[in-house]
Amino acid sequence: MKRLMTLIISLSMSMSTFAQYAAASYVVLHEGSENDYLQLESVWQAYHKEAIAMGRKAGWSIWKIAKNGDDSYEPGTYPDYLILEQYSSKEQMDEEFVRYGEDYEGMKAIMKKNLKGKYSNKQIENILAKAPKKEVRTYIHERVTSTPMTNGDVKVGDVMVATAMEQLRDDYEQFETEFYRDLFAQNIIKGNHRFWGFSRIIDRNEAAYSAPTHTAWNMFIDGKELELPDDFVSSKIYELTGNARKSYIPQELTMVYSGK
């Protein structure tokens, strides 16, 4: 175990890790509005890139959600995209949310400055005036624990899998922090996995569903399989995990825009 933790610390010093807080907004689009939505986000990207450089947030990205099944905790329309905004602290997140409500004109000014030569101010205003989103379900996440990120920073085209969890026992988080994190960390050290993160939902908007309480975030490596220990203790933990939490259908996410 000491060798394992030494390796994890070494990796952590050179690889990017999951931010402390994140706003995960699941977007349902109006039918036929996907192009308008992507154009809208391409304009907002000009703001988010500068916001990251200014220290207003730690990251921003847009992920396309694969239509690979219905989630039982989402009985309504299945989402089309995920907006993931990452923050290094709750204070940083709260300050940015205030700006969204009070300084929209300032944000637009940044977009117009950074998109000069690509779009006219009138074109930007027209793009921002469109309303392709039918519904947005936002969950505020606090990082509980994570492994290091290997194989460099996340980039456009990378795939991540998000699995919503519903806590059924008070000690559920201990299963993830004291067993599953080490399981994934060992696989990362062996080159079988790229990233694993575990977050707690601490707030949500009115449109969001109440069932999920946590999310597991995974980035797999093509051609590699996870090595799962089959000793007596591990087998018993696998059995107990089903009583500690309910796991919903994983969502496959592909990055289409990044703030980096």
Side-chain angles (χ1 to χ4, degrees):
M1 181 61 71
K2 183 176 180 181
R3 176 177 176 272
L4 171 62
M5 293 310 299
T6 300
L7 286 168
I8 290 173
I9 292 169
S10 176
L11 282 169
S12 298
M13 293 174 66
S14 59
M15 302 298 180
S16 58
T17 54
F18 205 62
Q20 191 61 31
Y21 290 88
S25 298
Y26 291 86
V27 178
V28 179
L29 298 176
H30 289 291
E31 187 174 352
S33 65
E34 185 169 23
N35 289 338
D36 286 343
Y37 173 70
L38 291 174
Q39 188 176 44
L40 175 69
E41 294 296 2
S42 73
V43 170
W44 269 103
Q45 182 184 38
Y47 165 73
H48 292 296
K49 283 186 174 182
E50 183 151 329
I52 292 169
M54 295 167 65
R56 292 184 174 184
K57 59 185 64 180
W60 170 88
S61 52
I62 303 292
W63 303 75
K64 185 175 179 62
I65 302 175
K67 301 293 186 178
N68 58 358
D70 292 329
D71 261 337
S72 55
Y73 77 92
E74 291 191 313
T77 306
Y78 199 76
D80 299 286
Y81 285 88
L82 169 66
I83 305 169
L84 191 62
E85 297 182 77
Q86 295 178 285
Y87 299 91
S88 59
S89 68
K90 191 173 185 302
E91 291 73 22
Q92 186 186 56
M93 180 174 66
D94 290 343
E95 289 171 1
E96 182 73 338
F97 285 0
V98 169
R99 277 188 286 267
Y100 279 135
E102 299 180 357
D103 193 29
Y104 179 53
E105 291 302 318
M107 291 178 170
K108 284 200 297 185
I110 291 174
M111 298 178 213
K112 291 174 181 178
K113 179 194 68 173
N114 291 339
L115 292 171
K116 188 175 181 180
K118 182 176 182 180
Y119 294 114
S120 68
N121 288 350
K122 183 177 181 180
Q123 286 175 315
I124 291 173
E125 292 285 355
N126 289 338
I127 292 170
L128 293 174
K130 294 179 181 179
K133 302 173 187 176
K134 181 178 180 180
E135 185 177 46
V136 179
R137 301 191 280 266
T138 300
Y139 303 85
I140 304 300
H141 293 259
E142 180 180 16
R143 184 182 72 89
V144 177
T145 188
S146 65
T147 66
M149 175 79 72
T150 59
N151 295 343
D153 289 335
V154 184
K155 63 185 183 301
V156 171
D158 282 352
V159 175
M160 180 165 61
V161 176
T163 306
M165 308 288 190
E166 181 179 354
Q167 179 172 319
L168 301 178
R169 282 175 39 163
D170 291 341
D171 61 353
Y172 162 56
E173 289 188 0
Q174 289 180 266
F175 284 76
E176 302 289 356
T177 60
E178 297 183 19
F179 177 77
Y180 287 102
R181 183 189 184 279
D182 285 348
L183 185 155
F184 281 101
Q186 290 172 22
N187 274 276
I188 286 171
I189 289 169
K190 294 176 181 177
N192 297 328
H193 203 60
R194 184 178 178 190
F195 173 76
W196 175 86
F198 178 64
S199 60
R200 176 194 307 120
I201 297 172
I202 60 172
D203 201 1
R204 66 196 78 205
N205 67 358
E206 291 184 4
Y209 295 110
S210 60
T213 59
H214 297 78
T215 298
W217 311 84
N218 278 283
M219 298 190 75
F220 296 89
I221 298 176
D222 289 342
K224 298 290 185 177
E225 293 186 5
L226 292 173
E227 293 183 10
L228 303 178
D230 58 0
D231 58 280
F232 177 79
V233 173
S234 297
S235 298
K236 287 300 179 182
I237 292 176
Y238 299 147
E239 292 177 15
L240 290 171
T241 300
N243 297 321
R245 57 99 173 112
K246 181 177 181 180
S247 177
Y248 292 93
I249 297 174
Q251 292 176 323
E252 183 180 296
L253 317 168
T254 302
M255 183 187 281
V256 295
Y257 285 123
S258 171
K260 295 293 187 180

